Amino acid sequence: MPTLTGSRFRQSGRNDDELHIGSCLFSHMPLYQSSTAEPAEAKRRVAAAAAEAHGRDRVQTEGVANHLLASLSGYGFATLFFCVAVPLGLAEWQQVLGWTAYNVAGLVGLYLVLKAHGSDPVLPQVLLKISSVAVAYILLDVARSVALQWLCLIIVLDIRRLRSGQLMLAAALAVLLPVAGLVFRWCLDAKSVKLADELVYVLLSAMTVPILIAIFKADRALSWRQRKQSTRMAQTLEQLSELSIRDGLTGLYNRRHMQQLLDQEQLRCARSGLGFSVGMLDIDLFKRVNDSFGHGVGDLVLRKFAYIAQDFFKESPHSVGRWGGEEFLFIMPETSEPEACMLLDSLRVSVAEFAWEQYRPGLKVTCSGGVSRHAPTAAIQSTLFAADAALYRAKVGGRDRIEPGTTLQPRPFELHGAKSTATQGVEVDPSMATAIRTLPHYGPNAQPTEVESQRFSAWLSRLIKGRTERMRNRVSMCLVAVPAYVAWLAMDLLYAIPNGVLTPAAGWAFAGAIVVQAVLPYTLIRSGVSAKFPRPALVLPQILGANCMALVAYVLIPDIRSPALQVLCLSLMFGFVGLRPSEARIAGRVAIGILATALILMGVFGAPAFEFRKQFLQVSMTIFILWLITDKSLGFGVIREQLRSERVQLARATDEVRYRMSRDVLTGLFNRQHMQQVLQAECLRHDQSGRGFSVALIDLDHFKRINDSHGHEVGDEALIGFAQAAQRVLRETDVICRWGGEEFLVLLPESDQDSGGFAAIERLREHVLSQCYSKRVEVLRLSFSAGLASRLSGESLTDFLERADQNLYLAKAQGRNRCVGLAQ
């Protein structure tokens, strides 16, 4: 085979896979050793080291810059908050300056550490922020009312960047540092510390830990699903792309894609003025192979021929595709007609010399071909017609030869060296035949086999959360809120009622409302009633209910106004787990709107123990935190919506892949691979139930003449028209597939060849005779021959189909246009 130069390979415009293969081959070639090898290698190492150092410096610089920007914005707002508190009489300058000095020292130290070592800035930033909140909790009274909000915000904003161990450390410090601050203040001045109030704050701080862990797990699961779904989508789209351009039997390009390649090559030829050659090869007397050895051997011959052709042209820019039943098309860029003839002739020799008898004794396969050169000004159809005419001359001239499209004769071509690897008898299964088994499964995963010690816990989990995966996910959302409701209930029963903050009647009413708010969503979801709702998860109603309870407590109970604002922030954090974008907006806007309205109404009409300056500062800070939490929750919701949309697209793409795996590209009927699975299932049902069935093997009469006389486009119209006619006439229970080039197989369930089977095929034959199948050739008519057989009990599928094939052969021998079925 002629050697392809690198420039020609690049100019050919072939796919990137071949370029990648070429680059891999060149990368493993030994380099020429010269005296300049060592200096060149040294320069390369120096350059690589400099690039690596530059990359580290860039990453370090970016990390430090991001740290400064994030830190200055957060600390700047907090400093502004405390500076506003000083004129309002809620803080002292000495305290604010002390807290600011601590932050400046921490930021400078962190900056120097990052600058020197370039370590991950996430965990140090989080730890510095948590310690800053703890210092503010010790120094500033006004900071205690918003400390929990700030801790929630700190961890939530960085939750996607923290690892599991880092999150646990941050959450533990978020609880322990305020406790340490409480102990420190109590040791300094026990009288100034309201222990009961401080314990409420500590309880609320501890309550954030399970919530943050749940949010962290939900975020990790979301990220994992996003990566996995993206991978599945890429794999499915790749399979779909391959199925759209590949022939299901041979793995070669299908006719549609070859037509696209022809159009692309024609445009390239028109731009550059460099022509290309087109070759058509046809397996000689392929019909006899099917008739003599069966369709299984015929399929094997097609696959093996495709493998030989692919192996022969694997290092060239040429394209090979299946053009028809046993016809193959070759596109050879920048190749003259004599060169194309030599290439195809060498391929012909490889096919003829292959040891076909290893599959069946007496099996011999040859091929004939025609070549045509495409000129820049010519039409592609005329080039195909010239190649087809040359192929016809090769058949008339005795077959097993290659004919040019012009009067030029190719020079004799001899194969040099060893034979192609395709002649070594290596059988390669087509990838498309097994692609359906590699598709990912999108249904619920089966539970793993449980050992005896785990059965009770599994039973208990099913009892609490339900049996279905969807119900378990929704119940888990309700269980995440349990710590919050427990904390509320404990604060009500152990603090508010005993200390007279609430009257016993109001306290128990409040406790009842908490229990209903906690139990009702779980009951609705676990019982299955919520499945009838538009939004079965009930996350938004839970958040709105908790917000309303917190706001009522804020307005009516002066002693727990600060904890109420903190619970308001905590309840909105549940939106990270399951709110959609629109629901996140609703929850955030409702919380902010009602809180601002409550502050205004309390200031206008007055409220018990209401200090406007202090409450205005606390509510302003809370609104800011609520806005940030809503924005973060909205981001999570957008990701979940994208995943839902991609999941729908993935399901459609998967269905499309499965459809194309089971359908013939041209006619839309079932393909042979799918029909074989259907027949195997039908044989199993026949052996178990005794309900028999029949098959009819149909062959369109003299179909080769249609392609030779009118072209493949008319032949395609005839195949499509026959498929449509068969679908109209056959029963809904009958199944038809395209069995070969112009052969079709009809499955007739619960019928035999003597009763309903023969009548159904005869009805189809008469209908086919009366139809017109081409708009281009109005006089075109079709007829077919059919072999009908009923399966015998216990008969193998191969023997069963062989009887139908023999009956088809008898129908042809008796003059065609008939159906033959011999009673056994």
Side-chain angles (χ1 to χ4, degrees), residues 556-609:
L556 299 180
I557 310 173
D559 291 341
I560 60 172
R561 280 175 180 159
S562 295
L565 295 179
Q566 295 174 353
V567 171
L568 188 64
C569 295
L570 286 176
S571 65
L572 203 59
M573 288 174 58
F574 285 98
F576 290 98
V577 180
L579 285 186
R580 293 177 177 176
S582 58
E583 296 173 335
R585 293 190 186 96
I586 293 174
R589 291 172 181 175
V590 168
I592 294 173
I594 295 180
L595 181 58
T597 303
L599 178 65
I600 295 173
L601 294 178
M602 292 170 66
V604 173
F605 296 101

Side-chain angles (χ1 to χ4, degrees), residues 332-401:
M332 293 168 279
E334 301 181 30
T335 305
S336 65
E337 189 170 284
E339 290 177 338
C341 287
M342 288 189 292
L343 288 173
L344 292 187
D345 192 65
S346 62
L347 174 61
R348 177 193 63 80
V349 173
S350 297
V351 172
E353 292 182 350
F354 182 74
W356 296 100
E357 292 188 353
Q358 63 180 311
Y359 303 117
R360 288 292 187 277
L363 177 63
K364 182 175 178 60
V365 177
T366 60
C367 60
S368 304
V371 176
S372 177
R373 171 75 173 178
H374 179 78
T377 58
I380 193 64
Q381 295 301 326
S382 62
T383 304
L384 292 174
F385 181 79
D388 199 32
L391 171 61
Y392 183 76
R393 289 197 305 272
K395 294 179 180 179
V396 174
R399 297 185 172 87
D400 194 18
R401 64 184 64 203

Side-chain angles (χ1 to χ4, degrees), residues 770-783:
S770 63
Q771 301 297 309
C772 177
Y773 296 94
S774 176
K775 298 179 180 179
R776 306 180 186 182
V777 185
E778 296 182 356
V779 296
L780 179 65
R781 293 293 185 272
L782 287 180
S783 65

Side-chain angles (χ1 to χ4, degrees), residues 137 144-149 151-152 174-175 178-179 182 185 193-209 483-484 486-499 501 510 553 557-568 570:
Y137 182 83
R144 295 176 199 131
S145 60
V146 294
L148 181 58
Q149 289 99 310
L151 288 174
C152 295
V175 176
V179 173
L182 171 61
R185 291 175 55 242
V193 177
K194 296 181 180 179
L195 192 58
D197 294 342
E198 299 296 342
L199 290 177
V200 170
Y201 288 117
V202 172
L203 178 63
L204 291 176
S205 299
M207 187 183 64
T208 61
V209 175
V486 170
W488 264 103
L489 194 61
M491 186 173 61
D492 178 54
L493 299 178
L494 302 179
Y495 172 73
I497 296 178
N499 294 329
V501 176
F510 193 65
I557 310 173
D559 291 341
I560 60 172
R561 280 175 180 159
S562 295
L565 295 179
Q566 295 174 353
V567 171
L568 188 64
L570 286 176

